[in-house]
């Protein structure tokens, strides 16, 4: 059974940093691209970032480019999102998501971790 | 960037009703369209991929259709567990898979 378990969320002040982790199990992690998707309170889903199988290619939404860094450790089956220069509008539940075998949908999601940016 | 819209933004329906949700893309996305269901305080769940393919384990009352810019999600007979918010997602622009704004289905 595929499992994705996020951690690292919490309360941080504007301008601060946080690193999210997503521990993966139940599938061959280094065979699948991975993504982060967020959801602000009461709002819809927003794609944030994606990373290729090897980690050599990374992609970002315009809203986070230059502030967030996605990475992965294939030896430890873990996905990361380093978030710097956080803003109030980054407040959201952050989900990690696994690509389907064709790389065209997210067939498994974590339970999410809440990031709150507030003074 | 490809923009996605959904209609309606919300609807009220009864158990047993046939429900249809529409999703439109700002440009042609072929059949690269997915549908997700999200219940409160839960992660989204993939229902339909590639516009019309049913994800494993999803009940057959869910179906999807469409291509190009216009797509629909149909629930043939609404069940109590189907009350949720539904999102479409384009997967044409790899890997920037943008979502529609969502359609909330609640009990009439």
């Amino acid at each position: 059974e595929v499992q994705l378990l996020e951690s690292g969320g919490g309360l941080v002040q504007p301008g601060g940093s946080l690193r999210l982790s997503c521990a993966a199990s139940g599938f061959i992690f280094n065979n699948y691209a991975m993504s982060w998707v967020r959801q602000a309170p009461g709002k819809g889903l927003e794609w944030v970032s994606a990373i290729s199988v090897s980690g050599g290619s990374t992609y970002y939404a315009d809203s986070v480019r230059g502030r967030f860094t996605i990475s992965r450790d294939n030896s430890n089956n873990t996905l990361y999102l380093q978030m710097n220069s956080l803003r109030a509008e980054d407040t959201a539940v952050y989900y990690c998501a696994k690509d389907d075998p064709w790389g065209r949908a997210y067939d498994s999601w974590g339970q999410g971790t809440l990031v709150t940016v507030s003074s | 960037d490809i923009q996605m819209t959904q209609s309606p933004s919300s609807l009220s329906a009864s158990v047993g009703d046939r429900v249809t949700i529409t999703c439109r893309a700002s440009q042609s996305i072929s059949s690269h369209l997915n549908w997700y269901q999200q219940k409160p305080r839960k992660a989204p769940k993939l229902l339909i991929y590639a516009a019309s393919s049913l994800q494993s384990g999803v009940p057959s009352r869910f179906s999807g259709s469409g291509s190009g810019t216009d797509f629909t999600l149909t629930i043939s007979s609404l069940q109590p567990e189907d009350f949720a918010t539904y999102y479409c997602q384009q997967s044409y622009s790899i890997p920037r898979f943008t979502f529609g704004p969502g359609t909330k289905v609640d009990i009439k």
Side-chain angles (χ1 to χ4, degrees):
Chain A
E1 178 192 5
V2 172
Q3 289 196 347
L4 299 170
L5 184 62
E6 300 97 335
S7 61
L11 176 63
V12 61
Q13 292 188 339
S17 298
L18 217 52
R19 188 176 85 154
L20 306 184
S21 300
C22 172
S25 61
F27 65 103
I28 302 174
F29 183 69
N30 59 11
N31 279 1
Y32 294 91
M34 299 290 294
S35 296
W36 288 96
V37 175
R38 68 184 181 183
Q39 186 169 37
K43 303 297 184 182
L45 301 169
E46 179 188 14
W47 174 80
V48 172
S49 182
I51 188 167
S52 63
V53 166
S54 67
S57 296
T58 57
Y59 309 87
Y60 300 94
D62 290 345
S63 57
V64 307
R65 185 176 293 112
R67 302 186 298 121
F68 289 11
T69 302
I70 190 172
S71 62
R72 64 191 295 162
D73 180 348
N74 284 343
S75 62
N76 286 308
N77 294 344
T78 304
L79 175 72
Y80 299 101
L81 186 67
Q82 176 67 43
M83 304 186 295
N84 298 332
S85 303
L86 283 162
R87 306 167 180 168
E89 55 264 36
D90 296 318
T91 294
V93 173
Y94 286 73
Y95 296 101
C96 64
K98 168 189 166 292
D99 271 20
D100 73 357
W102 302 273
R104 291 285 194 174
Y106 302 142
D107 62 3
S108 296
W109 297 64
Q111 86 290 349
T113 188
L114 176 62
V115 172
T116 303
V117 184
S118 175
S119 54
Chain B
D1 286 3
I2 299 173
Q3 307 301 320
M4 308 301 294
T5 58
Q6 288 182 234
S7 61
S9 57
S10 66
L11 65 91
S12 296
S14 301
V15 173
D17 284 353
R18 181 181 182 88
V19 170
T20 299
I21 298 169
T22 297
C23 176
R24 178 165 288 175
S26 60
Q27 66 181 72
S28 176
I29 56 171
S30 185
S31 295
H32 299 299
L33 191 284
N34 308 313
W35 290 97
Y36 297 84
Q37 176 193 65
Q38 186 180 33
K39 296 181 180 180
R41 296 170 296 282
K42 296 292 188 182
K45 172 187 174 182
L46 179 64
L47 298 177
I48 302 284
Y49 63 94
S52 60
S53 296
L54 196 66
Q55 175 70 354
S56 175
V58 174
S60 59
R61 63 180 179 272
F62 291 94
S63 64
S65 65
S67 66
T69 60
D70 295 323
F71 302 86
T72 58
L73 172 71
T74 299
I75 309 172
S76 60
S77 177
L78 197 66
Q79 297 302 300
E81 60 268 30
D82 301 336
F83 293 97
T85 300
Y86 294 85
Y87 294 92
C88 63
Q89 178 201 41
Q90 64 81 17
S91 57
Y92 179 85
S93 181
I94 296 175
R96 295 174 176 82
F97 295 168
T98 48
F99 294 88
T103 296
K104 184 177 181 180
V105 177
D106 62 20
I107 302 172
K108 180 183 285 186

